[in-house]
C-alpha cells in the first residue's frame, strides 16, 4: 500500500490505523512535487514612518493604524517609481521631439521642392 500514490488513494475509515495514517502523511510530504518549495519567513521591515502631517487618532483601531502606515509606505514607493519613470522618459521624450522637428523640416523641404517644380512647370507651359 505504501508504494501507491498516497494522494490518489481514498481514505478508508473502516481500516483506520493511526500509525498507517502517520506513515502515509510522511510519505506524502516526502513525495511533494519539486515545484512546491518551503516558504522562508521574511523579517517584517521596520515600522513605516508616517509623514509629519499624519498622526493617528486615539479612536482608530490597530488595523486602521496599520492600514494608514501601509498607505504611507506605498506612497513612498509610488513616488520613487514615478521619479524613475520620469528619468527614463526624458531621453524618450527628447527623441520624440527630435523626430518631430526632423519630420517638420522634411515636410517643409518637400513643400518647397513641390512649389519649385510647380513654378518651373508653369514657366515651361507658358
Amino acid at each position: 500500500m505504501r508504494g501507491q500514490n498516497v494522494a490518489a488513494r481514498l481514505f478508508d475509515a473502516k481500516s483506520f490505523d493511526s500509525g498507517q495514517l502517520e506513515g502515509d502523511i510522511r510519505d506524502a510530504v516526502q513525495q511533494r512535487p519539486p515545484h512546491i518549495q518551503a516558504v522562508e519567513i521574511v523579517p517584517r521591515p521596520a515600522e513605516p514612518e508616517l509623514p509629519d502631517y499624519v498622526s493617528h487618532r486615539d479612536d482608530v483601531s490597530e488595523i486602521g493604524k496599520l492600514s494608514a502606515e501601509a498607505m504611507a509606505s506605498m506612497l513612498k514607493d509610488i513616488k520613487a517609481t514615478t521619479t524613475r519613470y520620469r528619468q527614463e522618459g526624458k531621453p524618450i521624450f527628447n527623441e520624440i521631439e527630435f523626430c518631430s522637428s526632423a519630420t517638420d523640416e522634411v515636410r517643409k523641404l518637400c513643400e518647397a521642392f513641390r512649389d519649385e517644380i510647380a513654378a518651373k512647370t508653369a514657366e515651361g507651359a507658358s
Side-chain angles (χ1 to χ4, degrees), residues 1-116:
M1 195 178 224
R2 285 194 186 246
Q4 298 175 356
N5 185 349
V6 178
R9 284 185 293 162
L10 296 175
F11 180 71
D12 185 7
K14 294 178 186 173
S15 62
F16 177 72
D17 176 16
S18 64
Q20 179 68 34
L21 182 61
E22 289 174 8
D24 289 348
I25 292 171
R26 190 177 312 107
D27 290 346
V29 169
Q30 291 173 352
Q31 294 177 4
R32 70 175 179 232
H35 65 277
I36 297 176
Q37 300 294 324
V39 177
E40 294 182 25
I41 297 177
V42 178
R44 186 174 178 188
E47 194 171 301
E49 297 176 17
L50 293 175
D52 294 335
Y53 60 88
V54 176
S55 62
H56 291 300
R57 295 185 347 202
D58 293 333
D59 61 338
V60 176
S61 68
E62 187 66 24
I63 293 174
K65 290 178 183 178
L66 292 174
S67 297
E69 291 171 359
M71 289 301 297
S73 177
M74 289 306 299
L75 286 174
K76 287 181 184 176
D77 290 343
I78 290 169
K79 286 179 182 179
T81 301
T82 55
T83 300
R84 192 178 77 240
Y85 280 154
R86 284 187 185 117
Q87 289 172 348
E88 291 175 6
K90 284 179 184 179
I92 295 169
F93 177 79
N94 291 336
E95 184 69 21
I96 291 170
E97 279 195 330
F98 173 77
C99 290
S100 177
S101 62
T103 302
D104 191 43
E105 187 176 329
V106 168
R107 182 185 54 79
K108 288 178 183 177
L109 284 172
C110 288
E111 288 175 353
F113 286 141
R114 181 194 64 204
D115 294 343
E116 188 177 320

